[in-house]
Amino acid sequence: MKIGSVEVQDQAIRFKFHLSTGPGGQNVNKVATAVELRFNVAQSGLPESICERVLERGRSHLNTAGELVIHATRHRSQKRNKEEALQRLANILDTAQKPPKPRIPTRPSVRAKQVRLDQKRRTSEKKQSRKNSLD
């Protein structure tokens, strides 16, 4: 199954449908429009590097079994909620595909150090003057 620009195994994705608390009027009480998408990262068939980034980026959606769980209840129809859940999964997978940019360590300039020290000295003098005036 193709999700976004990534190909994943079909058995890695499961859907559950239940009654929604979102919009829908009386339809909410009768039809299971809410969608819960479960994506098993281990069974997805993705390369190890992408799996690690998916687990890192989707940390707030992970359960103890190592599945990404996405709830979609915004729309009135089950079909649109399912599409939204798949779109959100596609966004996570697409961002996980791009490796993070390496951080290039930088050093503060001499001027920046001097400005910081001057500010610290001024703050210290200001507080010392307050302390002496209370005596």
Side-chain angles (χ1 to χ4, degrees):
M1 171 184 262
K2 188 151 177 105
I3 298 185
S5 59
V6 180
E7 189 72 34
V8 297
Q9 302 283 332
D10 288 340
Q11 68 265 20
I13 298 176
R14 289 183 301 137
F15 293 99
K16 281 187 178 179
F17 304 100
H18 50 86
L19 295 178
S20 177
T21 59
Q26 284 300 306
N27 198 44
V28 170
N29 300 326
K30 297 186 242 176
V31 182
T33 57
V35 175
E36 180 182 279
L37 181 146
R38 290 179 175 265
F39 178 70
N40 191 322
V41 181
Q43 294 179 356
S44 65
L46 295 173
E48 187 64 33
S49 60
I50 293 177
C51 284
E52 289 173 7
R53 288 193 292 266
V54 166
L55 292 174
E56 182 182 318
R57 293 222 167 82
R59 203 173 324 154
S60 63
H61 298 287
L62 277 178
N63 65 8
T64 55
E67 296 177 321
L68 276 172
V69 181
I70 298 173
H71 297 278
T73 60
R74 185 176 302 163
H75 303 287
R76 290 177 181 238
S77 73
Q78 187 183 86
K79 180 183 175 190
R80 289 191 58 199
N81 280 330
K82 185 176 178 182
E83 290 170 356
E84 181 188 348
L86 285 170
Q87 182 59 45
R88 286 166 45 192
L89 177 63
N91 289 341
I92 291 171
L93 293 177
D94 286 343
T95 57
Q97 245 187 326
K98 301 170 192 153
K101 288 196 293 188
R103 181 185 176 279
I104 300 170
T106 58
R107 300 182 115 175
S109 65
V110 174
R111 174 76 180 138
K113 285 181 185 177
Q114 189 61 46
V115 167
R116 182 181 61 84
L117 292 174
D118 289 344
Q119 184 63 39
K120 281 178 71 171
R121 186 178 34 75
R122 273 189 239 112
T123 304
S124 174
E125 289 170 355
K126 183 187 342 176
K127 291 185 176 192
Q128 287 298 321
S129 69
R130 290 181 192 155
K131 184 178 176 183
N132 293 338
S133 66
L134 291 177
D135 288 337

